[in-house]
Amino acid sequence: MQSTMQDVPLLVSRILTHGATIHGKAEAITWTGEGEPHRRSYAEIGARSAQLAHALHDELGVRGDERVATLMWNNSEHLEAYLAIPSMGAVLHTLNLRLPVEQLVWIVNHAADRVVLVNGSLLPLLAPLLPHLPTVEHVVVAGPGDRSVLEGVRPHVHEYEELIAGHAQHFDWPELDEREAAALCYTSGTTGDPKGVAYSHRSLYLHSMQVNNAEAFALGGQDIALPVVPMFHVNAWGLPHASFMAGASLLMPDRFLQPAPLAEMIETVRPTIAAAVPTIWQGLLGELDATKRDVTSLRNVVIGGSACPPSLMRAFEERHGLRVVHAWGMTETSPLGTVSHPPAGVSGDEEWAYRGMQGRFPASVEARLVGPDGVHLPWDGESAGELEVRGPWIAGAYYGGTEGADQRPGDKFSPDGWLRTGDVGTITPDGYLTLTDRAKDVIKSGGEWISSVELENHLMAHPEIAEAAVVAVPDDKWGERPLAAVVLREGANAAFEELRAFLGERVARWQLPERWTVVTSVPKTSVGKFDKKVLRKQYADGELTITRVG
Amino acid sequence: MQSTMQDVPLLVSRILTHGATIHGKAEAITWTGEGEPHRRSYAEIGARSAQLAHALHDELGVRGDERVATLMWNNSEHLEAYLAIPSMGAVLHTLNLRLPVEQLVWIVNHAADRVVLVNGSLLPLLAPLLPHLPTVEHVVVAGPGDRSVLEGVRPHVHEYEELIAGHAQHFDWPELDEREAAALCYTSGTTGDPKGVAYSHRSLYLHSMQVNNAEAFALGGQDIALPVVPMFHVNAWGLPHASFMAGASLLMPDRFLQPAPLAEMIETVRPTIAAAVPTIWQGLLGELDATKRDVTSLRNVVIGGSACPPSLMRAFEERHGLRVVHAWGMTETSPLGTVSHPPAGVSGDEEWAYRGMQGRFPASVEARLVGPDGVHLPWDGESAGELEVRGPWIAGAYYGGTEGADQRPGDKFSPDGWLRTGDVGTITPDGYLTLTDRAKDVIKSGGEWISSVELENHLMAHPEIAEAAVVAVPDDKWGERPLAAVVLREGANAAFEELRAFLGERVARWQLPERWTVVTSVPKTSVGKFDKKVLRKQYADGELTITRVG
């Protein structure tokens, strides 16, 4: 029986029109680093988004689902691009300005971007790449920065303000299929080529609605959201679109992501919610400890990207009255995956225990844990398995890649279409996720999983250990067993037996490593994470001196 | 360009599964009228919903999209029906127990309901109708009430608890098309047959998400929602599904809708938000004034169904600290149409002015005003036109009716698919709706519209007028002009000239009626509204004594 409801597609253009009319007085407030921040109302942003769409269509010839890239900081022009490009039917491709240049070039070519919108301050990054970007026909420059580096380049160069000036402030946004791509974001793993996730209008719309629910961030007209997380990182965790939908104003930090300007903009503009990775908050905490600032306008400080040390959460709350909220997600999850609001009625240590977890799955995100043998594990807070997720804003393929084109069992997606997150963890009966390891780093020992991260954390709490990495090594009897590689502090003299006994007080006996080695430092990736691949290879090549204990 | 996102349909079963797991500790709390209310966790409700679905399928043979009706108060068994019936692919048909019995019979037959779930206390209403309901094969009785009235009836009779007992507490809910019908609700106008609105899984899901946004009611795990509005009135304004999705607990008043038990359950269970029509709140206000109760747990008292007198809003706030929130909607709008949260930053008289309006359109609800000539009017707070709305939870047809099967221009739906609400009003530039009249009652005078309601309200403020109705009558020169029919108070001696002058101080001169009549009472409909159809006929038939003034 068909329903009698209207069939209205969920489109970014509807977010745009709603925000620009119903919430026309809300503002995007961009920090400029000098004096008053720049304010632009959502009504103006709506009008300018229409102008941008006309300019892209009429002057640059953007048609259909062509890709328009942005290489921009968080500012109101970037917000206009976020709204205008998908609304006109084109695809917004956000470029991560922190990627190695070879990857940037690869990504732009893979997406076949026709236009790049770029902030003037980022021209020194873009200009040298242009000879290697044959699909790019137009470069549109917004904001301050020396244009001279663009002299003699092949693509046509335009000034953003000149380009949009004079165009109509209204656009008849097309009625698209809500499953069409609206935005494209590449994720770069440590191995292989970057992989593109193509968000649909439907996924962005539903994600925005859920970001605005109490299970997530409950944005409303009284809020000012501060996305410190860049708009090229998974759509700034959904805050720009969600804020525009809810009528929450946006405080845009532009390129001023250092602790001192962040503290100043928070004190001046008084945002109510802010989102960033732990390292940013670590820096801000130091700044606040050194220079007193009033940051009490913030009701929630959302931390994602990686787990936040409990000490940092407590320090923010006890020293500055800031409530830190854990969230977990990834490029493939749009990124809203979990948020760590504790359940109603808990307090004290129990509340802190909940807040230290990655959090609870919001409506529309389904989760399951898959164990060593492919079996689905119970949500008992103890069984550890790989997290798989499903939902309307979760990726089921990659753009134009082999993993997208023909999924194989064992790949990033399960045969029944769930995303394999590559994260290993546990889920409590009330649906709170705790991540314990990356799937590729977990030690599969005799049908059970041992968390390398848990062993490392315990070892690093030993007073004589500076760093410790635990990796899986082949074992005839158990399949895999843990190898502990430790960096000792100056003057340390603890024997491996002692370290093993220390660990034995904290984890089950069968999890204790038999193989130990001392290294001068743990190999690291370019972003500072332990590079366990290298360590495993050193072991395989016989480069490590192994002592067997126990 | 197709997106790479998973294609996961928005289904009621996902609301069910999410609430029963992630929010398994939230509760449906049903008032019993004696001692402690009955509490059932969302985990239990999830398990019992699975049992109900198995019983309907295995024992009663419900298949596909067959209709299962409910004739029930607000209680946890009704909530189980709300979740189980759509989730299994059948269609939940809520029956309005306040309808005239002929309409009830017509509706059950039109929907071809196979099963009726009924509360024991409503058997005296249902039993006499059963001989006239040939499609009904099974009656399932829940809760207290004398069963003897069912002796000798044709359909099979089952006890709810016995029927579901022993069935599996898990159901593999089917992956349905999200556009399939999930629930059916009939609206009964003053003319013609009732009309069925068939909500889809998609519309219920999206509506629930938006109810949980700050633009509407922002329900979360800390909330307890009290739907005083019955679950047979437009899904209790979406609160049951929305609460289950958000993990807000539900206080269910069952059949205890009188002021005294309502006040007692609010004091005892401490809900945070409640929703009802103005007459219920009027009664509660009297009760609270008479007997002191602590009702301060309520953060929002939502009033819909018809406009709330400003005096009632102020009385609640000043005398009992309750914040009244206006909302507007109808069966065809699921019903979330507007909510009157004032914009950020307003206060005092300006805030009260906003709160007196019907409110602001939330995301996903689009609105336009259509004037006398079919032109679209500006949102200037002054231009009055018929309100038309569009959105994914707005009806675009009626179930199985001629208006659904073949829409014609001039019907309930515009040629481009928008719903014609039949309400006339204005919209401010920031999107706040004020309703001034019903479209069928507005006076179309020389290309301008005159609000009958506005003239009536002014007239009824005159000390010598008890009641006043204004209707359109044909006029050679202007097309239509207003006729004022007044009921004078005992001993009144005001001349029409004086009443017209009184009105002339309050509205524009061209709106003043030339035709006046005194009546002993204004004709009324069965629900107590002015029956202007009768008045217009009395005028046409020459039954009224008309005095021309001015």
Side-chain angles (χ1 to χ4, degrees):
Chain A
M1 174 175 163
Q2 281 293 305
S3 86
T4 62
M5 308 315 278
Q6 296 177 14
D7 196 4
V8 179
L10 309 175
L11 301 178
V12 172
S13 59
R14 299 211 142 86
I15 298 177
L16 164 53
T17 304
H18 180 71
T21 53
I22 301 288
H23 302 298
K25 289 176 186 163
E27 293 178 319
I29 305 156
T30 304
W31 198 250
T32 60
E34 41 193 39
E36 277 296 292
H38 176 262
R39 289 169 182 268
R40 193 169 280 158
S41 76
Y42 284 4
E44 291 174 90
I45 285 173
R48 288 167 52 92
S49 296
Q51 292 182 304
L52 174 59
H54 282 298
L56 290 172
H57 182 274
D58 299 351
E59 302 201 27
L60 309 194
V62 173
R63 291 292 181 275
D65 60 5
E66 289 182 333
R67 267 70 67 208
V68 177
T70 57
L71 186 66
M72 300 173 87
W73 303 105
N74 293 11
N75 48 46
S76 57
E77 290 79 17
H78 205 173
L79 179 61
E80 289 158 11
Y82 256 54
L83 296 164
I85 294 166
S87 292
M88 67 186 289
V91 178
L92 168 78
H93 178 198
T94 51
L95 296 175
N96 181 343
L97 57 89
R98 300 203 202 288
L99 285 183
V101 291
E102 316 81 58
Q103 287 199 11
L104 264 182
V105 168
W106 190 96
I107 285 170
V108 172
N109 288 328
H110 188 263
D113 297 326
R114 265 200 73 198
V115 179
V116 179
L117 308 188
V118 59
N119 277 138
S121 58
L122 294 169
L123 287 175
L125 167 60
L126 179 67
L129 309 185
L130 288 172
H132 310 289
L133 307 176
T135 65
V136 175
E137 295 173 25
H138 299 277
V139 172
V140 183
V141 190
D146 179 12
R147 269 65 169 165
S148 68
V149 292
L150 288 175
E151 277 167 28
V153 300
R154 181 190 41 78
H156 302 285
V157 175
H158 312 265
E159 281 293 328
Y160 185 91
E161 292 299 331
E162 290 171 17
L163 185 70
I164 73 171
H167 285 285
Q169 300 191 341
H170 173 83
F171 194 106
D172 278 326
W173 305 113
E175 285 288 292
L176 307 163
D177 178 340
E178 69 186 34
R179 289 180 166 79
E180 285 283 317
L184 188 57
C185 187
Y186 282 76
T187 173
S188 60
T190 46
T191 55
D193 288 326
K195 294 172 182 64
V197 175
Y199 307 109
S200 64
H201 286 266
R202 174 181 167 93
S203 75
L204 291 178
Y205 198 100
L206 292 170
H207 187 267
S208 300
M209 291 183 83
Q210 190 58 35
V211 165
N212 291 336
N213 268 250
E215 287 184 323
F217 310 131
L219 298 179
Q222 317 289 334
D223 279 305
I224 301 176
L226 166 58
V228 182
V229 53
M231 291 169 76
F232 52 77
H233 271 169
V234 211
N235 301 320
W237 300 353
L239 289 176
H241 287 133
S243 296
F244 212 81
M245 178 183 262
S249 288
L250 279 161
L251 170 56
M252 296 294 211
D254 202 80
R255 62 193 183 280
F256 304 99
L257 301 174
Q258 308 73 30
L262 281 176
E264 189 187 349
M265 72 181 77
I266 293 170
E267 185 175 63
T268 306
V269 182
R270 302 190 60 74
T272 56
I273 184 167
V277 295
T279 47
I280 292 276
W281 295 121
Q282 193 89 52
L284 184 66
L285 183 64
E287 172 70 21
L288 294 177
D289 286 345
T291 310
K292 186 71 190 155
R293 293 281 192 176
D294 178 5
V295 294
T296 55
S297 62
L298 287 167
R299 63 174 167 85
N300 276 163
V301 169
V302 182
I303 294 198
S306 54
C308 174
S311 56
L312 180 59
M313 293 177 72
R314 284 185 184 262
F316 260 116
E317 188 141 333
E318 287 161 13
R319 300 215 291 269
H320 305 285
L322 290 179
R323 184 177 178 86
V324 168
V325 177
H326 252 173
W328 167 85
M330 49 204 290
T331 304
E332 290 87 341
T333 67
S334 289
L336 186 59
T338 65
V339 182
S340 75
H341 295 302
V346 305
S347 59
D349 286 349
E350 193 184 2
E351 185 183 355
W352 275 107
Y354 274 109
R355 290 178 56 194
M357 301 178 189
Q358 266 62 46
R360 198 172 52 176
F361 305 96
S364 303
V365 177
E366 295 167 77
R368 68 187 182 196
L369 292 176
V370 180
D373 311 320
V375 296
H376 294 176
L377 302 176
W379 290 15
D380 57 12
E382 294 182 1
S383 303
E386 182 175 0
L387 174 68
E388 298 190 353
V389 289
R390 175 168 70 174
W393 57 77
I394 312 284
Y398 289 117
Y399 171 60
T402 51
E403 292 199 54
D406 52 303
Q407 296 170 26
R408 294 177 302 271
D411 271 359
K412 187 78 185 176
F413 306 97
S414 75
D416 58 350
W418 292 54
L419 173 73
R420 293 181 168 144
T421 64
D423 281 318
V424 169
T426 62
I427 302 178
T428 64
D430 50 349
Y432 283 79
L433 171 72
T434 301
L435 292 181
T436 53
D437 215 341
R438 289 291 296 167
K440 64 178 171 11
D441 294 331
V442 85
I443 299 127
K444 293 152 185 121
S445 170
E448 300 278 354
W449 283 4
I450 300 171
S451 164
S452 66
V453 173
E454 189 184 0
L455 296 182
E456 289 163 2
N457 285 345
H458 287 308
L459 283 172
M460 286 193 279
H462 189 282
E464 299 200 358
I465 292 180
E467 268 186 347
V470 177
V471 298
V473 296
D475 184 277
D476 288 343
K477 183 171 176 191
W478 300 101
E480 290 181 359
R481 288 297 298 163
L483 158 70
V486 298
V487 180
L488 296 176
R489 290 192 192 279
E490 284 257 330
N493 58 5
F496 289 137
E497 284 79 4
E498 184 189 328
L499 297 177
R500 193 170 190 270
F502 176 83
L503 213 48
E505 291 164 23
R506 286 155 181 85
V507 301
R509 189 172 168 74
W510 61 269
Q511 300 189 356
L512 295 177
E514 301 81 18
R515 296 171 182 80
W516 294 75
T517 188
V518 169
V519 291
T520 50
S521 72
V522 175
K524 305 232 174 40
T525 67
S526 60
V527 293
K529 293 184 179 176
F530 286 177
D531 196 339
K532 298 191 178 179
K533 203 164 69 265
V534 171
L535 208 53
R536 282 191 293 264
K537 184 162 190 308
Q538 288 175 343
Y539 176 84
D541 294 350
E543 292 174 12
L544 301 176
T545 308
I546 303 297
T547 304
R548 291 192 70 111
V549 185
Chain B
M1 174 174 161
Q2 281 293 306
S3 86
T4 62
M5 307 316 278
Q6 296 177 15
D7 196 2
V8 179
L10 309 175
L11 301 178
V12 172
S13 59
R14 299 214 140 85
I15 298 177
L16 164 52
T17 304
H18 180 69
T21 52
I22 301 289
H23 302 299
K25 289 178 186 160
E27 292 178 320
I29 305 157
T30 304
W31 198 249
T32 61
E34 40 191 38
E36 277 295 294
H38 176 262
R39 290 170 181 268
R40 194 170 279 157
S41 74
Y42 284 3
E44 291 174 90
I45 285 174
R48 287 167 53 91
S49 297
Q51 292 183 304
L52 174 59
H54 282 298
L56 290 172
H57 182 273
D58 300 350
E59 303 200 25
L60 309 194
V62 173
R63 293 289 181 278
D65 60 5
E66 289 182 332
R67 268 69 66 207
V68 177
T70 57
L71 187 67
M72 301 173 86
W73 303 105
N74 293 11
N75 49 46
S76 57
E77 290 78 18
H78 206 170
L79 179 61
E80 288 157 13
Y82 255 55
L83 296 165
I85 295 167
S87 292
M88 69 187 285
V91 178
L92 167 78
H93 178 198
T94 51
L95 296 175
N96 182 344
L97 56 90
R98 301 202 200 289
L99 285 185
V101 291
E102 316 81 58
Q103 286 200 11
L104 262 181
V105 168
W106 190 95
I107 285 170
V108 171
N109 288 328
H110 188 263
D113 297 326
R114 266 200 73 196
V115 180
V116 179
L117 308 188
V118 60
N119 277 139
S121 58
L122 294 169
L123 288 175
L125 168 61
L126 179 66
L129 309 185
L130 288 171
H132 310 290
L133 307 176
T135 65
V136 174
E137 296 173 26
H138 299 277
V139 172
V140 183
V141 189
D146 178 12
R147 269 62 169 168
S148 67
V149 293
L150 287 175
E151 276 167 28
V153 300
R154 181 190 41 77
H156 303 285
V157 175
H158 312 264
E159 282 292 330
Y160 185 91
E161 292 299 329
E162 290 170 19
L163 185 70
I164 73 170
H167 285 285
Q169 300 190 342
H170 173 84
F171 195 107
D172 278 326
W173 305 113
E175 285 288 294
L176 307 163
D177 178 340
E178 69 186 31
R179 287 178 167 79
E180 285 283 317
L184 189 57
C185 187
Y186 282 77
T187 173
S188 60
T190 47
T191 57
D193 290 325
K195 294 171 183 66
V197 176
Y199 307 108
S200 64
H201 286 266
R202 173 181 168 94
S203 74
L204 292 178
Y205 198 100
L206 293 170
H207 187 266
S208 300
M209 290 182 85
Q210 189 60 35
V211 164
N212 291 336
N213 267 247
E215 286 184 324
F217 309 131
L219 298 178
Q222 317 287 333
D223 279 306
I224 302 176
L226 166 58
V228 183
V229 54
M231 289 168 77
F232 51 77
H233 271 168
V234 212
N235 302 321
W237 301 353
L239 289 176
H241 287 134
S243 296
F244 213 81
M245 179 184 261
S249 288
L250 279 160
L251 170 55
M252 297 294 212
D254 201 79
R255 62 193 183 280
F256 304 99
L257 302 174
Q258 307 75 30
L262 281 177
E264 189 187 348
M265 73 182 76
I266 292 169
E267 185 175 62
T268 308
V269 182
R270 304 188 60 73
T272 56
I273 184 166
V277 295
T279 48
I280 293 275
W281 294 122
Q282 192 89 52
L284 184 66
L285 184 63
E287 172 70 21
L288 294 177
D289 285 345
T291 310
K292 185 72 192 152
R293 293 281 193 178
D294 177 6
V295 295
T296 55
S297 62
L298 286 168
R299 63 172 167 85
N300 275 166
V301 169
V302 182
I303 294 198
S306 55
C308 175
S311 56
L312 181 59
M313 293 177 70
R314 283 184 185 261
F316 260 117
E317 187 140 333
E318 286 160 13
R319 301 218 288 271
H320 304 285
L322 291 178
R323 185 180 177 83
V324 168
V325 177
H326 252 174
W328 168 85
M330 48 202 293
T331 305
E332 291 87 341
T333 66
S334 289
L336 185 59
T338 65
V339 182
S340 75
H341 296 301
V346 305
S347 59
D349 287 349
E350 192 184 4
E351 184 182 356
W352 275 106
Y354 274 110
R355 289 179 56 194
M357 300 178 190
Q358 267 60 47
R360 197 172 52 176
F361 305 97
S364 302
V365 177
E366 295 167 78
R368 66 186 183 197
L369 293 176
V370 180
D373 311 321
V375 296
H376 295 177
L377 301 175
W379 290 16
D380 57 12
E382 294 181 1
S383 305
E386 181 175 1
L387 175 67
E388 298 189 352
V389 289
R390 174 168 70 173
W393 57 77
I394 313 285
Y398 288 118
Y399 171 61
T402 52
E403 292 201 54
D406 54 300
Q407 296 170 26
R408 294 177 302 272
D411 272 359
K412 188 77 186 176
F413 305 98
S414 74
D416 59 350
W418 292 54
L419 172 73
R420 293 181 168 145
T421 64
D423 281 320
V424 169
T426 61
I427 302 178
T428 64
D430 49 351
Y432 283 79
L433 171 72
T434 300
L435 293 181
T436 55
D437 214 339
R438 290 289 298 166
K440 64 177 168 18
D441 294 332
V442 85
I443 298 127
K444 291 151 185 122
S445 171
E448 299 278 354
W449 283 5
I450 301 172
S451 164
S452 65
V453 174
E454 188 183 1
L455 296 182
E456 288 162 2
N457 285 346
H458 287 308
L459 283 172
M460 287 193 279
H462 190 282
E464 299 199 358
I465 291 182
E467 267 185 348
V470 177
V471 297
V473 296
D475 184 277
D476 287 342
K477 182 170 178 194
W478 299 103
E480 291 180 358
R481 287 296 298 163
L483 159 69
V486 298
V487 181
L488 295 176
R489 291 191 192 281
E490 285 257 328
N493 59 4
F496 290 139
E497 285 79 3
E498 184 188 327
L499 296 177
R500 192 170 190 270
F502 176 81
L503 213 49
E505 291 164 21
R506 287 156 179 83
V507 303
R509 187 171 170 75
W510 62 270
Q511 301 188 356
L512 295 177
E514 301 81 18
R515 295 169 180 84
W516 294 76
T517 187
V518 169
V519 291
T520 51
S521 72
V522 174
K524 306 233 172 40
T525 67
S526 60
V527 295
K529 293 184 180 177
F530 286 177
D531 196 339
K532 299 191 177 179
K533 204 164 68 264
V534 172
L535 208 52
R536 282 191 293 263
K537 186 165 186 309
Q538 289 174 344
Y539 176 83
D541 293 348
E543 293 173 12
L544 302 176
T545 310
I546 303 297
T547 304
R548 292 195 67 113
V549 186

